[in-house]
Amino acid sequence: MTPPELPYSEPVRLHQIGAGLSRTLVPDADARARIAKALDLASLDVFEVAMKLAPTAGGWSLDGRIHARLAQTCGVTLEPLPLEIDDSFSVPLAETREADADEIVITLDDEAPDLIEDGRIDLGQYAVEQLALRLDPFPRKPGAEFVQPPEPAEISPFAVLRKLRSDDEG
């Protein structure tokens, strides 16, 4: 089984980081279209992420700023809902050790570092992840309300048959 194709990928090998690494990621129109499709966006007009990757005592730190102009789809009216994002982020990273490779540890600690596998960090994946974390999971246009349609008085297949019978008699 092949892994699913990523909407945007910019891998960096650990040996390329040295004392630190700075990158500004600006996906082209095709990559933005793939990202928009993966995140179920109506559009993604601007997506730019400035990142700084630096070694720390326990691994690495990925700090950055995300700027995006996009449109989500309103869950009630299905109209485009424009959104502008300009926010910073910080993600601690640590390399997996051979002793940890066979062991799966689940923690609920928000400060636990992301584990680096295969000696590489995919900056593109982190950029898309940071965008996804800033999206409203239930976008709704201001003032839009879902109105539950009235339910039929009797929900039963026999009610339909009863109605047909009464129509035939009349």
Side-chain angles (χ1 to χ4, degrees):
M1 184 170 132
T2 60
E5 188 174 318
L6 302 171
Y8 184 57
S9 181
E10 289 287 334
V12 171
R13 292 255 168 226
L14 292 178
H15 66 79
Q16 295 175 301
I17 299 169
L21 175 78
S22 292
R23 294 258 173 95
T24 299
L25 306 180
V26 183
D28 63 15
D30 290 339
R32 287 194 320 272
R34 288 191 306 271
I35 295 166
K37 182 178 179 185
L39 298 179
D40 198 24
L41 301 174
S43 67
L44 180 58
D45 301 321
V46 174
F47 185 46
E48 184 174 314
V49 185
M51 299 177 147
K52 192 175 280 188
L53 188 57
T56 63
W60 291 267
S61 176
L62 178 61
D63 299 303
R65 182 153 205 90
I66 182 170
H67 176 72
R69 192 169 51 244
L70 57 101
Q72 288 187 278
T73 303
C74 174
V76 177
T77 65
L78 301 179
E79 295 175 46
L81 190 59
L83 177 64
E84 185 140 352
I85 297 171
D86 189 13
D87 199 10
S88 60
F89 62 89
S90 183
V91 180
L93 304 166
E95 193 170 14
T96 55
R97 297 183 302 266
E98 289 300 319
D100 298 338
D102 296 332
E103 188 176 314
I104 297 175
V105 178
I106 299 174
T107 64
L108 298 177
D109 182 11
D110 285 344
E111 296 302 314
D114 282 6
L115 296 178
I116 300 169
E117 296 179 3
D118 300 327
R120 66 182 193 93
I121 300 168
D122 194 330
L123 299 178
Q125 277 186 293
Y126 278 104
V128 173
E129 178 182 279
Q130 292 302 315
L131 176 62
L133 289 171
R134 283 151 180 82
L135 297 176
D136 184 345
F138 304 105
R140 185 180 298 189
K141 199 171 187 175
E145 285 189 38
F146 177 74
V147 178
Q148 177 77 25
E151 294 203 19
E154 206 174 331
I155 305 174
S156 160
F158 299 110
V160 174
L161 292 174
R162 198 173 306 123
K163 182 173 177 1
L164 288 174
R165 187 172 179 198
S166 66
D167 288 344
D168 287 343
E169 292 174 358

